[in-house]
Amino acid sequence: MSVPLARPDTPARFGAAAAIGWILTIGLNIVAPILTYGALTDRGWSDFSALLVSGAWPVLDTVIHLVWRRKLDEFAVVTIFFLVLTAVVSLVGTHSARALIVKDSAVTGLFGVLCLVTLLAPRPLMFYFGRRFATDGTAESAAWWNSLWQYEGFRSVQRRMTIVWGVAYLVEAAARIVLSYVLSVDAMVVINPILTYGALGLLILWTIRTGQRSRAEGEARRIAAARAG
């Protein structure tokens, strides 16, 4: 087992840049689609057309972040893949507002499946997501994160996170599909992004707490081993 690299300083993007990123994400993924849908339906657009146009805002959010980061990493590749998949799925099959919501739910469910499938790969999907958000994107930060894979505890945590994210998104997709047939389209336009980002927020909170607890346990083991030595 090799000696781990020293942890770099706190990523520079934490702070003002992170706040701007979250404001853009919330604005372009929740607020803008709801306002756009309401404005277009008030002007006589069909529910399906209004939903399709309002879906352009999340695409813009992804483009802005790609231009901002100026880097195409595993996270960006997954994001682009699902944007393309969403566009293709939206344009095939039945063209109705309710069907479009169900299709979106199916895409998020597919993300859950992807999480679980990557458990068979050398490294699960959450390892790459963790590297995307726990480092500042520099070679030093990435090397530090990669060096942690040598520890069984770290590998176990990454796999457990991937399982939780996969199962959670399968449940979230199933819940949205059921709600789309129970509630009106107008109600789902509001609930859909809130449910999506509410689930995402809870998962992120759980992931952060799990990561912090894992680091604390690892530090405690290191101190105990140093004392025993």
Side-chain angles (χ1 to χ4, degrees):
M1 180 180 293
S2 60
V3 177
L5 300 175
R7 181 172 185 173
D9 294 333
T10 301
R13 73 165 175 264
F14 290 175
I20 293 174
W22 278 110
I23 291 173
L24 281 174
T25 296
I26 294 173
L28 295 177
N29 288 274
I30 298 179
V31 179
I34 293 175
L35 294 179
T36 301
Y37 175 83
L40 293 179
T41 51
D42 288 344
R43 286 175 169 79
W45 286 52
S46 67
D47 289 338
F48 176 80
S49 299
L51 275 175
L52 203 58
V53 172
S54 62
W57 291 110
V59 176
L60 177 61
D61 176 56
T62 300
V63 172
I64 290 175
H65 279 80
L66 285 176
V67 173
W68 188 0
R69 306 298 184 199
R70 297 180 181 179
K71 184 178 180 181
L72 192 65
D73 54 14
E74 295 88 355
F75 180 84
V77 170
V78 171
T79 300
I80 293 173
F81 170 76
F82 276 98
L83 282 176
V84 173
L85 180 63
T86 301
V88 172
V89 170
S90 299
L91 296 175
V92 299
T94 305
H95 287 180
S96 70
R98 197 176 304 279
L100 187 59
I101 295 174
V102 171
K103 291 175 183 179
D104 285 344
S105 302
V107 171
T108 58
L110 184 58
F111 175 76
V113 173
L114 176 63
C115 285
L116 299 179
V117 169
T118 60
L119 293 170
L120 303 176
R123 299 183 184 186
L125 188 59
M126 284 302 113
F127 170 83
Y128 299 104
F129 275 42
R131 189 173 66 186
R132 174 69 171 76
F133 291 103
T135 71
D136 60 0
T138 61
E140 294 77 11
S141 282
W144 163 75
W145 183 261
N146 292 339
S147 72
L148 297 177
W149 188 253
Q150 64 185 299
Y151 297 106
E152 174 58 33
F154 179 80
R155 297 195 297 269
S156 177
V157 168
Q158 297 306 309
R159 293 188 179 105
R160 183 166 72 249
M161 287 180 176
T162 302
I163 291 173
V164 170
W165 278 70
V167 172
Y169 266 102
L170 287 174
V171 172
E172 184 266 354
R176 281 204 293 160
I177 290 174
V178 171
L179 289 175
S180 66
Y181 285 103
V182 174
L183 303 176
S184 66
V185 173
D186 288 345
M188 284 304 299
V189 167
V190 177
I191 293 175
N192 203 33
I194 294 176
L195 182 60
T196 299
Y197 286 93
L200 177 60
L202 290 175
L203 284 170
I204 290 175
L205 179 61
W206 175 83
T207 300
I208 292 174
R209 291 177 64 87
T210 300
Q212 291 173 339
R213 184 167 59 251
S214 175
R215 285 194 296 270
E217 292 172 353
E219 183 65 15
R221 287 193 296 269
R222 186 190 67 79
I223 293 174
R227 288 175 177 173

